[in-house]
Amino acid sequence: SAGAAPREETDKTETMASVARSLRKFLGEIQHVKVRDLPSHLHKEYIGPTNTWVPRMKNRLLVYKEDYIDEGSFTPVKHVLIGGFFMSYLVGLPAELRHLAHEEAMKRQGGGH
């Protein structure tokens, strides 16, 4: 449909703007941190002690809900679909690698598969 393209472009523009804002904020935060202090700064600000993980994750989920779900965006559906694709790929990868290794060994031995 003709109306889908402008909405899709708007979603892409909003996503790019959101990424740019986040990157600008992050770079502003680490601008005055010395390189040798960067790992400890990142750990303190973004990883932190284990007892702060749950509240920070709740906060991030609330922000995500406000940004995407409350706005009625299709983006969460895309995130779930893409995540499902990558998870299924990663789960099936070991079996596929075993199959390819077995097939290669059979070719070297001159046998068929």
Side-chain angles (χ1 to χ4, degrees):
S1 70
R7 176 66 182 156
E8 187 175 308
E9 287 298 318
T10 302
D11 284 347
K12 287 180 184 177
T13 304
E14 290 172 3
T15 302
M16 293 294 286
S18 176
V19 168
R21 279 192 306 273
S22 297
L23 187 58
R24 248 184 267 122
K25 179 182 175 194
F26 174 73
L27 291 174
E29 289 174 359
I30 66 166
Q31 184 175 4
H32 301 293
V33 177
K34 293 182 180 174
V35 174
R36 71 171 182 253
D37 299 332
L38 189 59
S40 62
H41 173 78
L42 292 177
H43 188 273
K44 184 179 81 175
E45 293 295 321
Y46 295 99
I47 299 170
T50 56
N51 63 347
T52 64
W53 187 83
V54 173
R56 285 186 293 129
M57 184 55 71
K58 283 182 182 178
N59 186 39
R60 288 184 182 141
L61 288 173
L62 285 172
V63 169
Y64 185 87
K65 179 182 177 293
E66 290 170 2
D67 288 349
Y68 296 110
I69 297 171
D70 291 346
E71 297 294 321
S73 174
F74 187 71
T75 302
V77 175
K78 289 190 279 187
H79 289 161
V80 168
L81 292 173
I82 291 168
F85 168 77
F86 281 111
M87 285 302 296
S88 64
Y89 180 81
L90 290 174
V91 166
L93 188 60
E96 186 64 25
L97 292 175
R98 281 192 307 271
H99 170 72
L100 291 173
H102 174 73
E103 193 174 84
E104 189 66 32
M106 292 301 287
K107 283 182 183 176
R108 276 189 301 231
Q109 293 175 2
H113 192 263

